[in-house]
Amino acid sequence: MSEPFEIVSLATPVADAALAELADVLIDCVAGGASVNFMSSFSQNEARIFFNKVADGVASGDIVLLAARLGDRIVGTVQLGLDTPPNQRHRADVKKMLVHRSARGRGIGAVLMAAIEEEARRCGRWLLVLDTVPGESGHRLYLRAGWQQSGTVPDYALFPDGGLCDTAIMWKRLK
Ligand SMILES: CC(C)(COP(=O)(O)OP(=O)(O)OC[C@H]1O[C@@H](n2cnc3c(N)ncnc32)[C@H](O)[C@@H]1OP(=O)(O)O)[C@@H](O)C(=O)NCCC(=O)NCCS
């Protein structure tokens, strides 16, 4: 049986050690070819800068940050972006769903998604939106979790190695 994992909400102030582990997860995902905003030249320092900004968002209440712990290490994460305009306070963005390659295929992504949806409900947000590369592992995960696809935008972004990828716009209504 595989080692159990737990999902935790990282409250402010997010510890330096946690930020370093989150940065490691992001670096690993980019190294694995995931199109998650960064190119393959991405450094540990840039990953830390990214998560420092996320920690600022947690402090301001604009972001809910979840982490999956396996043993004594963070191996996965997902964010809920609450910083929506005044006419979209019922909505939130699911962002940066990431699981370290060493921990994939045991349901961590699925449980992170269920947990972030629960956070959205807790915050009174009942419409969720995200975008993802069609046909990739994230896209399959979201379809399994009951997300709908509105369509695709061709050539929306780059993979870390520079190749173009499409994006699928997805949404889920929680009520
Ligand atoms: C997308 C991502 C977060 C999924 O994380 P994960 O923890 O591996 O997700 P799950 O374990 O829930 O599901 C992954 C696969 O394992 C399978 N699985 C889940 N639990 C399992 C279990 N107990 N035993 C065997 N297989 C299992 C799922 O069916 C799924 O299969 P598929 O890849 O054929 O669709 C991960 O692949 C990732 O970080 N990718 C790179 C970053 C990225 O692209 N993120 C999305 C950005 S929008």
Side-chain angles (χ1 to χ4, degrees):
M1 210 174 83
S2 54
E3 197 184 347
F5 58 88
E6 63 166 344
I7 308 295
V8 291
S9 179
L10 298 178
T12 194
V14 183
D16 270 356
L19 292 172
E21 290 176 13
L22 290 164
D24 285 344
V25 173
L26 177 55
I27 295 238
D28 179 74
C29 288
V30 175
S35 175
V36 285
N37 294 6
F38 300 104
M39 303 305 289
S40 55
S41 54
F42 192 48
S43 69
Q44 173 75 27
N45 189 42
E46 287 169 294
R48 276 304 297 269
I49 289 168
F50 172 79
F51 273 107
N52 286 344
K53 285 189 188 146
V54 173
D56 291 344
V58 174
S60 65
D62 287 340
I63 294 176
V64 176
L65 176 62
L66 299 185
R69 286 191 194 282
L70 185 63
D72 59 359
R73 196 165 68 100
I74 292 174
V75 295
T77 183
V78 68
Q79 298 168 34
L80 187 69
L82 298 168
D83 186 20
T84 49
N87 70 342
Q88 298 172 29
R89 294 296 195 218
H90 58 293
R91 185 181 77 69
D93 299 300
V94 172
K95 303 191 283 193
K96 292 287 176 297
M97 165 71 80
L98 307 167
V99 173
H100 195 283
R101 283 175 292 178
S102 65
R104 289 185 192 164
R106 58 171 84 200
I108 293 177
V111 176
L112 277 170
M113 179 54 85
I116 207 73
E117 289 178 7
E118 199 45 49
E119 290 292 330
R121 284 190 190 90
R122 191 181 57 76
C123 297
R125 307 293 176 112
W126 51 265
L127 182 66
L128 300 181
V129 178
L130 62 75
D131 63 78
T132 193
V133 182
E136 298 262 306
S137 52
H139 189 227
R140 293 195 297 276
L141 170 68
Y142 309 141
L143 290 172
R144 275 197 302 277
W147 285 65
Q148 307 290 317
Q149 183 172 330
S150 286
T152 57
V153 182
D155 296 343
Y156 183 80
L158 299 178
F159 285 112
D161 66 3
L164 282 162
C165 61
D166 300 346
T167 202
I169 310 296
M170 303 191 77
W171 57 274
K172 185 170 181 179
R173 187 185 282 271
L174 300 179
K175 74 169 192 185

